Every structure is written in structure tokens, then in C-alpha cells.
Amino acid sequence: MHQPNQLIAFQTAIAHVLAQHKDYGLEEVTLEESLNRVLAEPIKADRDLPPFDRSTRDGIAINFQGVTSKEPKFEMKGMAQAGSPQTVLEDESHCIEVMTGAVVPKNADTVVMYEHLEKIGNVYKVLQPVSKGQNIHYQASDFSKGGVLLHEGVRITPAEIGVLASVGKFKVRVKKLPRIAVVATGNELVEVDENPLPHQIRKSNTYSLEGLLKNQGILAQSYHLKDDPELLKRELQGLLEKYDVILLSGGVSKGKFDFLPSTFDHLGVKKIFHKVLQRPGKPFWFGEHSEKGALIFAFPGNPVSTFANYHVYFLPWLNKTLGLPSNEFSVFLEEAVENTTDLTLFKGVQLRFEEGRFKAKVIQTTGSGDLLSLSNIDGFLQLNPKESYEKESLVPFIPTKRFA
Ligand code: AMP
Ligand code: MG
């Protein structure tokens, strides 16, 4: 698609990635499994909500016609507990004790809470003014049976789980998620529980990526492949059969052991682009398998590059694929920032909420290997090539931490 080694602008790269959004279909999952998934059916109320006139207080239920004086009295004639069938108020001079959540008795229209009552023998005296209908949550006042409570396309958070449970949805139709493999490449990498030799490092990218995907409700499988062309061909061939998306880290730069671009070529993965005018994350390689449609996001191995590119490319792609809105927004600069380079810069910042606005402060890092900086930032500013931004200007922001 592009000349070899021709770097493309970030805006072109992200447009190519988003153009590859997919539809993986629908599936049914249990209520418990539906957390973080995208709802694929409208959810309707299976009955009125509330399903009956319910008391919102512990106290007594009366008929308002019985309020004939400043401190009216009612003879206690029964008890209505939450979870018991409806009782009947036989006379305006009577009352029935009701608990929060109980069905308001037949012929009653008003509830007075215990705090406003005085009990004298079997009689309750009302000490405070009463208004007709008080403390009753009327049947269908929230929703009528058949009303749409949740629209398809929303992400199921714990708030939606509660709604689904309340209407008896123990099976929920959701959008299917892509099957994802996370692959670390590099001979220098050892497992987390190993003691690295002086020339080795523990792998971290696959763990970060797995965690990021888990936040999206995706359980990825993780792999580690050595920098060996034959092994890479063999193993990646197998992964292309099994997965919809492969996220790789490392092996796409100019090094003599960066074998991934030639491996993809050999395996029939069509390069859509390689290398973007951006920092960090410049040697990003993106492609699609010609027959199977599997997508390859091959990020440069530096932990900050992998982490940034996941948020810059993969997450917008996933949101588009699932029909979710972008999670990016704009923030105000605490200090002027200048981008003198011809690259799009992703600058790690901390946010502060002040006077109703998010303000961003740039966090200095020691380069794209500065893994620790990632835990100190709330996200990245996206700075256009050769652009100066004044203090207080509004700049696009890509969050890396959750704002909930
Ligand atoms: P590469 O893109 O393969 O040239 O790797 C760039 C740098 O990132 C090297 O210093 C690698 O050791 C490091 N690196 C690559 N993969 C990982 C990983 N999975 N975890 C931590 N560091 C990595
Ligand atoms: Mg490498």
C-alpha cells in the first residue's frame, strides 16, 4: 500500500486502523459473565416498576380521609411486612403498620413514619402534618411493563447488571469479542519468576497488555517467541489460525534480529503500513491476513511504546468494532507545550480537576523505556507535528487510567 520504509502521518495511520473495524457477531452469556460486555438487545421491563404501590418508610398506612384533626389517632389493626401479600384497611379510623418495601394495604393511600408517631396502647397518634399520598412509591412510577430500560449498544457496567437482574435477565445477548493472542518477542526476555542473567530482562509487555485487555473484558492468551525466523513463521502460522487479533511487542524495528515484517510477508499477512511519524511507538507495523482476516498489531518492544500504541490504536479500533464511543476527550494545558518535531507526540500527563476543568501537567520521562512513568500518568496528550500550544489551550487526551 505504501512505498517501503515510507513513514506515514499519524492521522493516516489511525484512519487505516479504524477502517479495519470488524463485526464478530453476537453470543449469549450469563448475567455474571456479562460485566464489561456490550449489550446486543434492548432490555424491557418484564413488569411494572415498582410492581405495586410500595411503602418507602417504616410506619403506619392510613386513609387520608381519617385525618380529621391536627393530631389524628388511628387504631392499629394489623401488620404489613415486605414480602407479604397485600392486606386490607377496613376503616378510616384504623391503621396498619407497614414496613419499607411492603405493599400498601387496600383502601390506604398515605404512610406516616414511626418518627412522626406516638403510640398509646393500641392507638397511634400522628404528631406531624400529613399530606395525602406521602411515602408511597407508586406502581409503575419508574417504568411500565414493556418500557425499554436499556438500549442495545451500551457497555454493561455494575449499574446495568443491577437492571438486568431486576428484570430477570439471567441470560444476556452481547456482542462477541475478538479472540486475542498477546505475543512477546525477543531472546533477551525471561519469565517473571526467573532470575535474569546480566544480559537478560524480565518480560513485562505481555502482562501489561493482558491486564489492559482484561479491563475490556477480554481474556487473552499470551505467548513468547524467540527471535528465530523459522520458529516465528511456524508459531505465528498457528496463531493466525486460532485468533482474530494478534498483539505483538518487539521485533519490528531496524535491528538485525527484527524478523517480524519479513515473517508476516511470508505468511500472507498484508502490510497496511509500517512506521508512523510519531513518538513513542514509531516502528508500529499493522496488517491483515489476506484470507483469514486476522489483524496484526505489532508494536515496538519498548514498554512505553507498546503501552502507548495499545491506547492510541488498539483501543479506538476495539471501541469502533464494538460500536462504543471513543474514550478520548480534551483537556486544558497547565503550561505551554511546544512540539518542534515533525512527529505526532504522545506526552504523558497527570490530570488535575480544577474549577470544573481537567488540567494536564506534563510528566518528564527518560525516554520510551521508562516503564515506571506509566504508573505516574493519567494518559497521553496528542500533540500535532510542529505545533505550539499555549497555556490553557485545549488538547486531545488519551486516557490510560480509568475515570470512574
Ligand atoms: P525491540 O522492539 O524488539 O527492538 O525491543 C525494544 C526494547 O524493548 C528492547 O530493549 C527490549 O528488550 C524491550 N522489550 C521487548 N519486548 C519486551 C517485553 N515483552 N517486555 C519488556 N521489554 C521488552
Ligand atoms: Mg526484540
PDB file of all heavy atoms in Angstrom, residues 261-289:
ATOM      1  N   PRO A 261       8.488  -8.215  10.232  1.00  0.00           N
ATOM      2  CA  PRO A 261       7.943  -7.787   8.935  1.00  0.00           C
ATOM      3  C   PRO A 261       8.137  -8.833   7.844  1.00  0.00           C
ATOM      4  O   PRO A 261       7.203  -9.143   7.098  1.00  0.00           O
ATOM      5  CB  PRO A 261       8.715  -6.492   8.638  1.00  0.00           C
ATOM      6  CG  PRO A 261       9.025  -5.955  10.002  1.00  0.00           C
ATOM      7  CD  PRO A 261       9.326  -7.169  10.842  1.00  0.00           C
ATOM      8  N   SER A 262       9.340  -9.449   7.764  1.00  0.00           N
ATOM      9  CA  SER A 262       9.563 -10.454   6.704  1.00  0.00           C
ATOM     10  C   SER A 262       8.743 -11.714   6.990  1.00  0.00           C
ATOM     11  O   SER A 262       8.266 -12.373   6.065  1.00  0.00           O
ATOM     12  CB  SER A 262      11.054 -10.768   6.590  1.00  0.00           C
ATOM     13  OG  SER A 262      11.531 -11.213   7.836  1.00  0.00           O
ATOM     14  N   THR A 263       8.554 -12.034   8.273  1.00  0.00           N
ATOM     15  CA  THR A 263       7.745 -13.214   8.621  1.00  0.00           C
ATOM     16  C   THR A 263       6.293 -13.013   8.189  1.00  0.00           C
ATOM     17  O   THR A 263       5.671 -13.902   7.611  1.00  0.00           O
ATOM     18  CB  THR A 263       7.798 -13.462  10.145  1.00  0.00           C
ATOM     19  OG1 THR A 263       9.155 -13.524  10.543  1.00  0.00           O
ATOM     20  CG2 THR A 263       7.080 -14.735  10.525  1.00  0.00           C
ATOM     21  N   PHE A 264       5.753 -11.831   8.483  1.00  0.00           N
ATOM     22  CA  PHE A 264       4.360 -11.555   8.104  1.00  0.00           C
ATOM     23  C   PHE A 264       4.198 -11.671   6.590  1.00  0.00           C
ATOM     24  O   PHE A 264       3.241 -12.252   6.090  1.00  0.00           O
ATOM     25  CB  PHE A 264       3.936 -10.143   8.542  1.00  0.00           C
ATOM     26  CG  PHE A 264       3.937  -9.948  10.034  1.00  0.00           C
ATOM     27  CD1 PHE A 264       4.334  -8.736  10.597  1.00  0.00           C
ATOM     28  CD2 PHE A 264       3.510 -10.953  10.888  1.00  0.00           C
ATOM     29  CE1 PHE A 264       4.328  -8.538  11.961  1.00  0.00           C
ATOM     30  CE2 PHE A 264       3.492 -10.767  12.262  1.00  0.00           C
ATOM     31  CZ  PHE A 264       3.905  -9.556  12.790  1.00  0.00           C
ATOM     32  N   ASP A 265       5.167 -11.119   5.877  1.00  0.00           N
ATOM     33  CA  ASP A 265       5.141 -11.159   4.421  1.00  0.00           C
ATOM     34  C   ASP A 265       5.066 -12.606   3.951  1.00  0.00           C
ATOM     35  O   ASP A 265       4.228 -12.986   3.135  1.00  0.00           O
ATOM     36  CB  ASP A 265       6.432 -10.472   3.918  1.00  0.00           C
ATOM     37  CG  ASP A 265       6.338 -10.166   2.448  1.00  0.00           C
ATOM     38  OD1 ASP A 265       5.217  -9.849   2.016  1.00  0.00           O
ATOM     39  OD2 ASP A 265       7.370 -10.271   1.753  1.00  0.00           O
ATOM     40  N   HIS A 266       5.920 -13.443   4.526  1.00  0.00           N
ATOM     41  CA  HIS A 266       5.975 -14.861   4.175  1.00  0.00           C
ATOM     42  C   HIS A 266       4.640 -15.568   4.452  1.00  0.00           C
ATOM     43  O   HIS A 266       4.229 -16.454   3.709  1.00  0.00           O
ATOM     44  CB  HIS A 266       7.104 -15.528   4.975  1.00  0.00           C
ATOM     45  CG  HIS A 266       7.205 -16.995   4.750  1.00  0.00           C
ATOM     46  ND1 HIS A 266       7.934 -17.542   3.721  1.00  0.00           N
ATOM     47  CD2 HIS A 266       6.627 -18.041   5.409  1.00  0.00           C
ATOM     48  CE1 HIS A 266       7.807 -18.855   3.758  1.00  0.00           C
ATOM     49  NE2 HIS A 266       7.029 -19.184   4.772  1.00  0.00           N
ATOM     50  N   LEU A 267       3.973 -15.156   5.535  1.00  0.00           N
ATOM     51  CA  LEU A 267       2.742 -15.846   5.959  1.00  0.00           C
ATOM     52  C   LEU A 267       1.480 -15.300   5.277  1.00  0.00           C
ATOM     53  O   LEU A 267       0.379 -15.733   5.598  1.00  0.00           O
ATOM     54  CB  LEU A 267       2.577 -15.730   7.482  1.00  0.00           C
ATOM     55  CG  LEU A 267       3.627 -16.454   8.321  1.00  0.00           C
ATOM     56  CD1 LEU A 267       3.436 -16.135   9.799  1.00  0.00           C
ATOM     57  CD2 LEU A 267       3.552 -17.966   8.095  1.00  0.00           C
ATOM     58  N   GLY A 268       1.656 -14.366   4.376  1.00  0.00           N
ATOM     59  CA  GLY A 268       0.491 -13.831   3.658  1.00  0.00           C
ATOM     60  C   GLY A 268      -0.271 -12.791   4.447  1.00  0.00           C
ATOM     61  O   GLY A 268      -1.448 -12.550   4.194  1.00  0.00           O
ATOM     62  N   VAL A 269       0.411 -12.177   5.421  1.00  0.00           N
ATOM     63  CA  VAL A 269      -0.235 -11.066   6.129  1.00  0.00           C
ATOM     64  C   VAL A 269       0.100  -9.793   5.366  1.00  0.00           C
ATOM     65  O   VAL A 269       1.277  -9.440   5.216  1.00  0.00           O
ATOM     66  CB  VAL A 269       0.260 -10.948   7.588  1.00  0.00           C
ATOM     67  CG1 VAL A 269      -0.505  -9.850   8.311  1.00  0.00           C
ATOM     68  CG2 VAL A 269       0.101 -12.273   8.317  1.00  0.00           C
ATOM     69  N   LYS A 270      -0.933  -9.140   4.882  1.00  0.00           N
ATOM     70  CA  LYS A 270      -0.733  -7.950   4.044  1.00  0.00           C
ATOM     71  C   LYS A 270      -0.375  -6.755   4.933  1.00  0.00           C
ATOM     72  O   LYS A 270      -1.100  -6.442   5.884  1.00  0.00           O
ATOM     73  CB  LYS A 270      -2.045  -7.682   3.292  1.00  0.00           C
ATOM     74  CG  LYS A 270      -1.984  -6.563   2.290  1.00  0.00           C
ATOM     75  CD  LYS A 270      -3.363  -6.366   1.665  1.00  0.00           C
ATOM     76  CE  LYS A 270      -4.238  -5.587   2.618  1.00  0.00           C
ATOM     77  NZ  LYS A 270      -5.636  -5.686   2.535  1.00  0.00           N
ATOM     78  N   LYS A 271       0.749  -6.120   4.604  1.00  0.00           N
ATOM     79  CA  LYS A 271       1.127  -4.924   5.358  1.00  0.00           C
ATOM     80  C   LYS A 271       0.191  -3.779   4.981  1.00  0.00           C
ATOM     81  O   LYS A 271       0.020  -3.488   3.793  1.00  0.00           O
ATOM     82  CB  LYS A 271       2.575  -4.535   5.027  1.00  0.00           C
ATOM     83  CG  LYS A 271       3.029  -3.294   5.751  1.00  0.00           C
ATOM     84  CD  LYS A 271       4.460  -2.925   5.430  1.00  0.00           C
ATOM     85  CE  LYS A 271       4.537  -2.063   4.189  1.00  0.00           C
ATOM     86  NZ  LYS A 271       5.883  -1.559   3.915  1.00  0.00           N
ATOM     87  N   ILE A 272      -0.406  -3.151   5.959  1.00  0.00           N
ATOM     88  CA  ILE A 272      -1.216  -1.953   5.679  1.00  0.00           C
ATOM     89  C   ILE A 272      -0.337  -0.722   5.856  1.00  0.00           C
ATOM     90  O   ILE A 272      -0.368   0.188   5.047  1.00  0.00           O
ATOM     91  CB  ILE A 272      -2.489  -1.937   6.547  1.00  0.00           C
ATOM     92  CG1 ILE A 272      -3.354  -3.151   6.166  1.00  0.00           C
ATOM     93  CG2 ILE A 272      -3.266  -0.635   6.361  1.00  0.00           C
ATOM     94  CD1 ILE A 272      -4.570  -3.382   7.012  1.00  0.00           C
ATOM     95  N   PHE A 273       0.479  -0.723   6.895  1.00  0.00           N
ATOM     96  CA  PHE A 273       1.561   0.267   6.988  1.00  0.00           C
ATOM     97  C   PHE A 273       2.601  -0.213   7.992  1.00  0.00           C
ATOM     98  O   PHE A 273       2.347  -1.100   8.810  1.00  0.00           O
ATOM     99  CB  PHE A 273       1.040   1.671   7.369  1.00  0.00           C
ATOM    100  CG  PHE A 273       0.353   1.741   8.714  1.00  0.00           C
ATOM    101  CD1 PHE A 273       1.097   1.833   9.892  1.00  0.00           C
ATOM    102  CD2 PHE A 273      -1.038   1.744   8.804  1.00  0.00           C
ATOM    103  CE1 PHE A 273       0.464   1.906  11.125  1.00  0.00           C
ATOM    104  CE2 PHE A 273      -1.676   1.810  10.028  1.00  0.00           C
ATOM    105  CZ  PHE A 273      -0.913   1.894  11.196  1.00  0.00           C
ATOM    106  N   HIS A 274       3.792   0.364   7.893  1.00  0.00           N
ATOM    107  CA  HIS A 274       4.868   0.107   8.836  1.00  0.00           C
ATOM    108  C   HIS A 274       5.578   1.438   9.079  1.00  0.00           C
ATOM    109  O   HIS A 274       6.001   2.069   8.119  1.00  0.00           O
ATOM    110  CB  HIS A 274       5.859  -0.924   8.265  1.00  0.00           C
ATOM    111  CG  HIS A 274       6.952  -1.305   9.214  1.00  0.00           C
ATOM    112  ND1 HIS A 274       8.129  -1.899   8.801  1.00  0.00           N
ATOM    113  CD2 HIS A 274       7.045  -1.193  10.561  1.00  0.00           C
ATOM    114  CE1 HIS A 274       8.894  -2.136   9.856  1.00  0.00           C
ATOM    115  NE2 HIS A 274       8.268  -1.709  10.939  1.00  0.00           N
ATOM    116  N   LYS A 275       5.635   1.839  10.300  1.00  0.00           N
ATOM    117  CA  LYS A 275       6.316   3.058  10.760  1.00  0.00           C
ATOM    118  C   LYS A 275       5.443   4.300  10.570  1.00  0.00           C
ATOM    119  O   LYS A 275       4.941   4.564   9.480  1.00  0.00           O
ATOM    120  CB  LYS A 275       7.661   3.267  10.079  1.00  0.00           C
ATOM    121  CG  LYS A 275       8.631   2.145  10.426  1.00  0.00           C
ATOM    122  CD  LYS A 275       9.977   2.362   9.803  1.00  0.00           C
ATOM    123  CE  LYS A 275      10.873   1.172  10.131  1.00  0.00           C
ATOM    124  NZ  LYS A 275      11.957   1.027   9.202  1.00  0.00           N
ATOM    125  N   VAL A 276       5.312   5.000  11.666  1.00  0.00           N
ATOM    126  CA  VAL A 276       4.443   6.177  11.699  1.00  0.00           C
ATOM    127  C   VAL A 276       5.257   7.352  12.249  1.00  0.00           C
ATOM    128  O   VAL A 276       6.095   7.160  13.127  1.00  0.00           O
ATOM    129  CB  VAL A 276       3.217   5.919  12.612  1.00  0.00           C
ATOM    130  CG1 VAL A 276       2.252   7.086  12.553  1.00  0.00           C
ATOM    131  CG2 VAL A 276       2.509   4.623  12.230  1.00  0.00           C
ATOM    132  N   LEU A 277       4.966   8.533  11.737  1.00  0.00           N
ATOM    133  CA  LEU A 277       5.649   9.742  12.232  1.00  0.00           C
ATOM    134  C   LEU A 277       5.080  10.087  13.615  1.00  0.00           C
ATOM    135  O   LEU A 277       4.217  10.956  13.752  1.00  0.00           O
ATOM    136  CB  LEU A 277       5.432  10.898  11.242  1.00  0.00           C
ATOM    137  CG  LEU A 277       6.208  10.773   9.931  1.00  0.00           C
ATOM    138  CD1 LEU A 277       5.584  11.643   8.846  1.00  0.00           C
ATOM    139  CD2 LEU A 277       7.663  11.175  10.157  1.00  0.00           C
ATOM    140  N   GLN A 278       5.551   9.368  14.606  1.00  0.00           N
ATOM    141  CA  GLN A 278       5.053   9.577  15.963  1.00  0.00           C
ATOM    142  C   GLN A 278       6.134   9.187  16.980  1.00  0.00           C
ATOM    143  O   GLN A 278       7.067   8.456  16.653  1.00  0.00           O
ATOM    144  CB  GLN A 278       3.806   8.730  16.223  1.00  0.00           C
ATOM    145  CG  GLN A 278       4.083   7.222  16.272  1.00  0.00           C
ATOM    146  CD  GLN A 278       2.873   6.408  16.685  1.00  0.00           C
ATOM    147  OE1 GLN A 278       1.941   6.230  15.911  1.00  0.00           O
ATOM    148  NE2 GLN A 278       2.888   5.901  17.923  1.00  0.00           N
ATOM    149  N   ARG A 279       5.977   9.681  18.202  1.00  0.00           N
ATOM    150  CA  ARG A 279       6.868   9.277  19.303  1.00  0.00           C
ATOM    151  C   ARG A 279       6.080   9.283  20.585  1.00  0.00           C
ATOM    152  O   ARG A 279       5.409  10.283  20.853  1.00  0.00           O
ATOM    153  CB  ARG A 279       8.061  10.222  19.406  1.00  0.00           C
ATOM    154  CG  ARG A 279       9.094   9.726  20.430  1.00  0.00           C
ATOM    155  CD  ARG A 279      10.488  10.237  20.137  1.00  0.00           C
ATOM    156  NE  ARG A 279      10.556  11.673  20.381  1.00  0.00           N
ATOM    157  CZ  ARG A 279      11.289  12.529  19.671  1.00  0.00           C
ATOM    158  NH1 ARG A 279      12.000  12.129  18.665  1.00  0.00           N
ATOM    159  NH2 ARG A 279      11.287  13.801  19.968  1.00  0.00           N
ATOM    160  N   PRO A 280       6.119   8.229  21.406  1.00  0.00           N
ATOM    161  CA  PRO A 280       6.807   6.964  21.131  1.00  0.00           C
ATOM    162  C   PRO A 280       6.004   6.105  20.163  1.00  0.00           C
ATOM    163  O   PRO A 280       4.911   6.481  19.778  1.00  0.00           O
ATOM    164  CB  PRO A 280       6.850   6.311  22.516  1.00  0.00           C
ATOM    165  CG  PRO A 280       5.615   6.826  23.190  1.00  0.00           C
ATOM    166  CD  PRO A 280       5.440   8.241  22.705  1.00  0.00           C
ATOM    167  N   GLY A 281       6.602   4.971  19.787  1.00  0.00           N
ATOM    168  CA  GLY A 281       5.856   3.966  19.041  1.00  0.00           C
ATOM    169  C   GLY A 281       6.017   4.025  17.542  1.00  0.00           C
ATOM    170  O   GLY A 281       5.213   3.448  16.809  1.00  0.00           O
ATOM    171  N   LYS A 282       7.082   4.676  17.079  1.00  0.00           N
ATOM    172  CA  LYS A 282       7.260   4.889  15.639  1.00  0.00           C
ATOM    173  C   LYS A 282       7.268   3.620  14.777  1.00  0.00           C
ATOM    174  O   LYS A 282       6.604   3.591  13.738  1.00  0.00           O
ATOM    175  CB  LYS A 282       8.562   5.692  15.451  1.00  0.00           C
ATOM    176  CG  LYS A 282       8.876   6.096  14.051  1.00  0.00           C
ATOM    177  CD  LYS A 282       9.894   7.226  14.090  1.00  0.00           C
ATOM    178  CE  LYS A 282      11.017   6.982  13.125  1.00  0.00           C
ATOM    179  NZ  LYS A 282      12.104   7.932  13.266  1.00  0.00           N
ATOM    180  N   PRO A 283       7.978   2.546  15.132  1.00  0.00           N
ATOM    181  CA  PRO A 283       8.060   1.402  14.195  1.00  0.00           C
ATOM    182  C   PRO A 283       6.828   0.490  14.173  1.00  0.00           C
ATOM    183  O   PRO A 283       6.925  -0.664  13.782  1.00  0.00           O
ATOM    184  CB  PRO A 283       9.291   0.621  14.692  1.00  0.00           C
ATOM    185  CG  PRO A 283       9.923   1.436  15.751  1.00  0.00           C
ATOM    186  CD  PRO A 283       8.858   2.324  16.300  1.00  0.00           C
ATOM    187  N   PHE A 284       5.674   0.978  14.579  1.00  0.00           N
ATOM    188  CA  PHE A 284       4.449   0.174  14.610  1.00  0.00           C
ATOM    189  C   PHE A 284       4.153  -0.427  13.224  1.00  0.00           C
ATOM    190  O   PHE A 284       4.185   0.257  12.211  1.00  0.00           O
ATOM    191  CB  PHE A 284       3.297   1.084  15.063  1.00  0.00           C
ATOM    192  CG  PHE A 284       1.928   0.459  15.019  1.00  0.00           C
ATOM    193  CD1 PHE A 284       1.711  -0.860  15.395  1.00  0.00           C
ATOM    194  CD2 PHE A 284       0.827   1.221  14.633  1.00  0.00           C
ATOM    195  CE1 PHE A 284       0.443  -1.417  15.370  1.00  0.00           C
ATOM    196  CE2 PHE A 284      -0.447   0.673  14.593  1.00  0.00           C
ATOM    197  CZ  PHE A 284      -0.633  -0.651  14.958  1.00  0.00           C
ATOM    198  N   TRP A 285       3.884  -1.723  13.219  1.00  0.00           N
ATOM    199  CA  TRP A 285       3.551  -2.464  11.980  1.00  0.00           C
ATOM    200  C   TRP A 285       2.112  -2.936  12.084  1.00  0.00           C
ATOM    201  O   TRP A 285       1.711  -3.556  13.068  1.00  0.00           O
ATOM    202  CB  TRP A 285       4.481  -3.666  11.859  1.00  0.00           C
ATOM    203  CG  TRP A 285       4.513  -4.341  10.502  1.00  0.00           C
ATOM    204  CD1 TRP A 285       5.483  -4.215   9.557  1.00  0.00           C
ATOM    205  CD2 TRP A 285       3.558  -5.272   9.970  1.00  0.00           C
ATOM    206  NE1 TRP A 285       5.191  -4.988   8.449  1.00  0.00           N
ATOM    207  CE2 TRP A 285       4.007  -5.652   8.674  1.00  0.00           C
ATOM    208  CE3 TRP A 285       2.364  -5.809  10.428  1.00  0.00           C
ATOM    209  CZ2 TRP A 285       3.316  -6.538   7.863  1.00  0.00           C
ATOM    210  CZ3 TRP A 285       1.663  -6.698   9.621  1.00  0.00           C
ATOM    211  CH2 TRP A 285       2.142  -7.054   8.355  1.00  0.00           C
ATOM    212  N   PHE A 286       1.315  -2.666  11.049  1.00  0.00           N
ATOM    213  CA  PHE A 286      -0.107  -3.047  11.086  1.00  0.00           C
ATOM    214  C   PHE A 286      -0.484  -3.761   9.805  1.00  0.00           C
ATOM    215  O   PHE A 286      -0.117  -3.303   8.712  1.00  0.00           O
ATOM    216  CB  PHE A 286      -0.964  -1.785  11.258  1.00  0.00           C
ATOM    217  CG  PHE A 286      -2.444  -2.059  11.335  1.00  0.00           C
ATOM    218  CD1 PHE A 286      -2.982  -2.779  12.401  1.00  0.00           C
ATOM    219  CD2 PHE A 286      -3.303  -1.596  10.344  1.00  0.00           C
ATOM    220  CE1 PHE A 286      -4.352  -3.031  12.481  1.00  0.00           C
ATOM    221  CE2 PHE A 286      -4.673  -1.839  10.410  1.00  0.00           C
ATOM    222  CZ  PHE A 286      -5.204  -2.564  11.488  1.00  0.00           C
ATOM    223  N   GLY A 287      -1.159  -4.889   9.937  1.00  0.00           N
ATOM    224  CA  GLY A 287      -1.538  -5.620   8.735  1.00  0.00           C
ATOM    225  C   GLY A 287      -2.695  -6.573   8.965  1.00  0.00           C
ATOM    226  O   GLY A 287      -3.170  -6.766  10.088  1.00  0.00           O
ATOM    227  N   GLU A 288      -3.143  -7.178   7.868  1.00  0.00           N
ATOM    228  CA  GLU A 288      -4.288  -8.090   7.924  1.00  0.00           C
ATOM    229  C   GLU A 288      -3.987  -9.326   7.093  1.00  0.00           C
ATOM    230  O   GLU A 288      -3.430  -9.219   5.988  1.00  0.00           O
ATOM    231  CB  GLU A 288      -5.533  -7.392   7.349  1.00  0.00           C
ATOM    232  CG  GLU A 288      -6.788  -8.216   7.479  1.00  0.00           C
ATOM    233  CD  GLU A 288      -7.950  -7.665   6.647  1.00  0.00           C
ATOM    234  OE1 GLU A 288      -7.691  -7.063   5.588  1.00  0.00           O
ATOM    235  OE2 GLU A 288      -9.094  -7.852   7.070  1.00  0.00           O
ATOM    236  N   HIS A 289      -4.345 -10.492   7.625  1.00  0.00           N
ATOM    237  CA  HIS A 289      -4.129 -11.721   6.868  1.00  0.00           C
ATOM    238  C   HIS A 289      -5.071 -11.742   5.663  1.00  0.00           C
ATOM    239  O   HIS A 289      -6.285 -11.546   5.808  1.00  0.00           O
ATOM    240  CB  HIS A 289      -4.365 -12.952   7.736  1.00  0.00           C
ATOM    241  CG  HIS A 289      -3.836 -14.190   7.100  1.00  0.00           C
ATOM    242  ND1 HIS A 289      -4.526 -14.868   6.129  1.00  0.00           N
ATOM    243  CD2 HIS A 289      -2.665 -14.850   7.266  1.00  0.00           C
ATOM    244  CE1 HIS A 289      -3.805 -15.904   5.728  1.00  0.00           C
ATOM    245  NE2 HIS A 289      -2.675 -15.913   6.403  1.00  0.00           N
TER     246      HIS A 289
END
